[in-house]
């Protein structure tokens, strides 16, 4: 009887692991490189798509580069980008989108969901300034690379800052005094 109970317990544990393990796997985000304005060569598209995929895998966010010739200007590109993202990925799904309208000569960067906590106004302005500089020079691939560099860099920077904050929170009581205890926390 004891052997049957052990076997059933082992089978039950194995079934739980098999069916529940996928719930704990880190989900990769979605990516989209939509080049309706035809700014990139096929080789550049392949490289950008690989970088988008790597970023989405790392963060679990949606990552989108969308170029078009819709004629959106600085005044109406923001609602256009918001609507595009919400229609495809949902209003609250974490992610980033770079929208470039060549006909309207407008560029927009949006953050959604938890991604918005990684990008303050200063970071957004820096990203857009560098992207816009490359766009004005006709370096479209470089502009997309700048976008990918900054979103990846700022993501890593926030993870590092979060780790440093956790270090400061860890305290150890010695006698009546409280002393900060150095702790090493490694980011992903």
């Amino acid at each position: 009887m004891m052997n049957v109970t052990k076997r059933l317990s082992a089978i039950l544990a194995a079934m739980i692991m098999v069916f529940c393990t996928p719930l704990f796997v880190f989900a990769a985000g979605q990516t989209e490189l939509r080049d309706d304005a035809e700014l990139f060569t096929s080789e550049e598209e392949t490289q950008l798509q690989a970088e988008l995929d790597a970023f989405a895998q790392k963060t679990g966010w949606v990552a989108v580069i969308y170029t078009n010739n819709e004629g959106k200007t600085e005044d109406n590109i923001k609602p256009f980008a918001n609507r595009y993202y919400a229609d495809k990925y949902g209003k609250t799904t974490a992610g980033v989108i770079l929208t470039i309208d060549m006909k309207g000569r407008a560029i927009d960067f949006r953050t959604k969901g938890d991604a918005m906590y990684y990008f303050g106004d200063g970071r957004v302005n820096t990203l857009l300034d560098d992207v816009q500089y490359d766009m004005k020079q006709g370096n479209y691939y470089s502009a997309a690379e700048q976008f990918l560099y900054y979103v990846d860099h700022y993501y890593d920077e926030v993870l590092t800052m979060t780790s440093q904050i956790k270090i400061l929170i860890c305290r150890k009581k010695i006698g009546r005094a409280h002393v900060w205890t150095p702790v090493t926390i490694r980011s992903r």
Side-chain angles (χ1 to χ4, degrees), residues 11-22 24:
I11 291 171
L12 181 61
M15 288 176 58
I16 289 172
M17 288 177 63
V18 167
F19 292 112
C20 294
T21 300
F24 302 110

Side-chain angles (χ1 to χ4, degrees), residues 35-166:
D35 186 23
D36 291 352
E38 298 180 357
L39 301 181
F40 311 119
T41 66
S42 60
E43 294 83 21
E44 290 171 340
E45 284 183 7
T46 301
Q47 181 62 33
L48 290 171
Q49 186 63 58
E51 292 179 39
L52 283 168
D53 291 343
F55 178 75
Q57 179 70 34
K58 176 180 182 178
T59 62
W61 296 351
V62 172
V64 179
I65 297 175
Y66 175 34
T67 72
N68 63 68
N69 290 306
E70 296 285 329
K72 303 301 178 190
T73 64
E74 190 176 311
D75 296 329
N76 58 8
I77 194 167
K78 287 176 177 50
F80 174 78
N82 279 331
R83 201 170 331 103
Y84 180 83
Y85 188 95
D87 289 349
K88 290 202 85 166
Y89 306 104
K91 290 181 180 180
T92 59
T93 304
V96 293
I97 179 172
L98 177 68
T99 308
I100 300 169
D101 190 308
M102 292 303 290
K103 184 176 180 183
R105 308 306 289 172
I107 300 170
D108 185 59
F109 170 66
R110 302 274 97 201
T111 59
K112 298 295 180 183
D114 289 342
M116 71 181 170
Y117 300 115
Y118 290 70
F119 301 91
D121 290 343
R123 288 177 171 180
V124 170
N125 291 337
T126 300
L127 181 150
L128 285 174
D129 287 347
D130 284 1
V131 168
Q132 200 163 34
Y133 176 81
D134 282 333
M135 291 295 294
K136 286 180 180 178
Q137 303 302 314
N139 300 327
Y140 307 125
Y141 176 71
S142 180
E145 286 280 304
Q146 287 291 331
F147 161 72
L148 289 166
Y149 165 78
Y150 279 113
V151 294
D152 188 61
H153 175 72
Y154 290 148
Y155 177 82
D156 288 342
E157 197 172 77
V158 169
L159 287 183
T160 301
M161 288 186 321
T162 303
S163 295
Q164 290 170 352
I165 290 169
K166 288 177 184 175

